[in-house]
Amino acid sequence: MKNVRKASLILLSLMASTTMLQACGSNDGNNGAANAGGNTNAGANTSANAGTNAGANANEGTEGVKKDGFPIVDQPVTLKMMSQDAGVADWNKMPVLQEMEKLTGIHMEYQLSPIDSFATKKNLVFASGDLPDIFYAADLTAAEQVTYGSQGTLVPLEKYIDGGYAPNLKKIFDEHPDIRKSFTTPDGHIYALPNIDLSAVWYRGPMWYNGKFLKALNATEPKTTDELYTYLKRVKEEDPNGNGKKDEVPLTSVKLDDLRMYFLGFWGIYNEQYYADKDGKVHYTPQEEGYKGYLTFLNRLWKEDLLDHETFSQTGDQKKAKGTSNRVALFNDWFPYFTLGGEASGDNPLMTPVSSEIAGSPVYGKHPGLSSNGTFAISSTNPAPEASMRWVDYLYSYEGATLFGQGPENLLWKYKNADTHEKEWLPTEGGKDREEVRGTITPNYGIVTPGMSSSELTKGLKSDFDAWLDNETATKLTPIAKAPFPNVYLTNEQQTEATTLLSDLSTYVTQMEAKFVTGQEPLTNWDNYVAQLKKMGSDRIVELYQSAYDTWNASK
C-alpha cells in the first residue's frame, strides 16, 4: 500500500500543480462549461457498422445515441471495460463511476488486474481473442497499437473523433496538431488515446539539494560541473551535518537510474537512450561525446568517494534512510521531503542544472506533454463504439477531468466560486489522508488514464509548496527544457528490429556504465566501447528513428 500511495501521490501532484501535469491550457474551463451538459460522442452499433453515421450532422448520431447532451444513449447500454487497478476499492462502488453511469446511461462491467500483472493479463487477452469492449488505462505501447490495429483487433478512432463524437478531444487535436500526429500510426489511423498535459515539465522526479548543508557551508548553488565537484568535496570534508563525523554522503543514487537523465543534461543530452537535438538530428546517447563526459565526471566523483559507493547495491529505502538521518547532500526524489523527511517546504532547493565543457549545456529533457503509451482503446467486438467515444470524451472536458481527478463535488472539495472554477478542499472524515480517500472515490489512482489536465482544475487547491515548486521549475528548468523525442511509430518490421537491437544494446550499455563509473573499465577504452555499440546496431537505431522523426516532422 505504501508504494501504491506514493505512486498515487505523484499522479495527484501531476494533476494538482501547474509545474507538472496541468495540460492543455487552451482547453480551459470555458470549453468545459460549454460542454457541461453536452459533450458529444455516441454509439450503439455493431462493429461491422461502426462509424456508418460518423458524419451525421448536429445532434444526429447512430440510432439510439446522441451526439450531445446526456444521457448518451436512449436505452441503457452495458459494456465490458478492462483496466489495471491499484486494488484500493471496488470500482462498482466508486462515486465517480456511479456518477458516470447516471450521467451517460452506460453501465460498465469491470475486468480488472493488479498493476503489477496487468501487462501479462493484457497479452493473454489479445492472444485469446476474448476481448473487452474497452481498454482503460491500458498502457498500449506503440507496437501494440500498430500490431493490433492493423490486425483489426482495435478499432480506428479518428472517424468518431472527426464525426462529432468527441468534441473535447477534437478541439485539443485541432489546436495542437502535434498531439494528433503523435498518436497516428503509419497506416493513418488512431487506435489509442493519450493522457494530455501540454504544461508538464518534469519527466520524472528531479534532483534536490539538502538546504541545511547549503546553509551550514554558506554555499550557493553550483553553476558548473567544476563548481559542483568543489561543493560535493566540501560536503565530504567539512561536516555540514555537524555531528563530528565524516558520515556525509555528497551524492547518492540507486543504480544511477534516478539521476542519469538529469545529469546527462549537463552535457547537452536530452534523454538516456535516443533523442532529437534542436536541429532535429537524432542521436543514440550512449555513443555521444557528452555521454563520455557524464561517465568521466561520475568516475571522478566515485574515485574520491563523492558518489555513494553503495549506488549499485542499495535499495530506495536504504537511500532514504540516509536522507532521514541528515547525511545526504544531493539526491533524486519526487519531492525533497520524501527523502529527507519532515513536511513539505521550500527549504531544500531544486537543483539548478549545471554547465559543462559541452557547448550549449545544460539542457533538460522535459515531459512531452502526453503519455508515451495509449490509455484508451475500443476493441472490434464493442457493440457501441460511438457511445464509447462519447463516454471517454467527457474526460477531456473540464467537468470530466474534475470528476475523475478530484471526485464529485462535496466529497473532497467544493466550489468557492463556481463561475471562476475556484475550489477549496473539504476536511476528510476522521482526518483521513486525502489522497487515500481519493483512491476510494475514483479509478484514476496510481495509473495513467485517458483525459486531460489543466490549470483550471486546481484553482484554489494549490498549497504554498505547490507555488514554490512552480517557481523553482519555471526559473531553473523551463528555460532550458525540450521534449527529447516525439511519440513516433515504426512499422511492425521496424519495431521488431528496433526492439531486438535496443534490448541487447541496453544490457551492454548498463553493464559498461557501471564499469566505467567504478573504474573497472578505464575510459581509455572508450573507442573500443563505441565500436562495439556500432557493431551491435547503434547506428541502425539512429537510422530507424531519424526516419520516423522526419516522417513525423513532415506530417501535418
Side-chain angles (χ1 to χ4, degrees), residues 275-312:
Y275 67 96
D277 64 22
K278 291 180 179 179
D279 297 321
K281 182 180 179 182
V282 174
H283 301 263
Y284 179 64
T285 293
Q287 66 187 27
E288 293 293 309
E289 280 299 310
Y291 186 77
K292 181 182 179 182
Y294 153 82
L295 293 176
T296 302
F297 183 73
L298 290 185
N299 174 250
R300 181 185 186 190
L301 299 184
W302 181 273
K303 287 190 295 187
E304 299 192 35
D305 203 17
L306 304 181
L307 171 61
D308 194 342
H309 276 206
E310 294 182 345
T311 285
F312 295 100

Side-chain angles (χ1 to χ4, degrees), residues 187-228:
D187 62 4
H189 293 305
I190 298 171
Y191 294 110
L193 303 180
N195 178 287
I196 298 171
D197 183 349
L198 296 182
S199 297
V201 177
W202 294 7
Y203 201 95
R204 59 193 69 181
M207 303 295 297
W208 306 92
Y209 285 111
N210 184 329
K212 291 179 180 178
F213 284 18
L214 285 170
K215 186 174 181 180
L217 296 174
N218 193 28
T220 57
E221 281 196 56
K223 297 297 189 294
T224 68
T225 52
D226 286 342
E227 289 179 9
L228 177 60

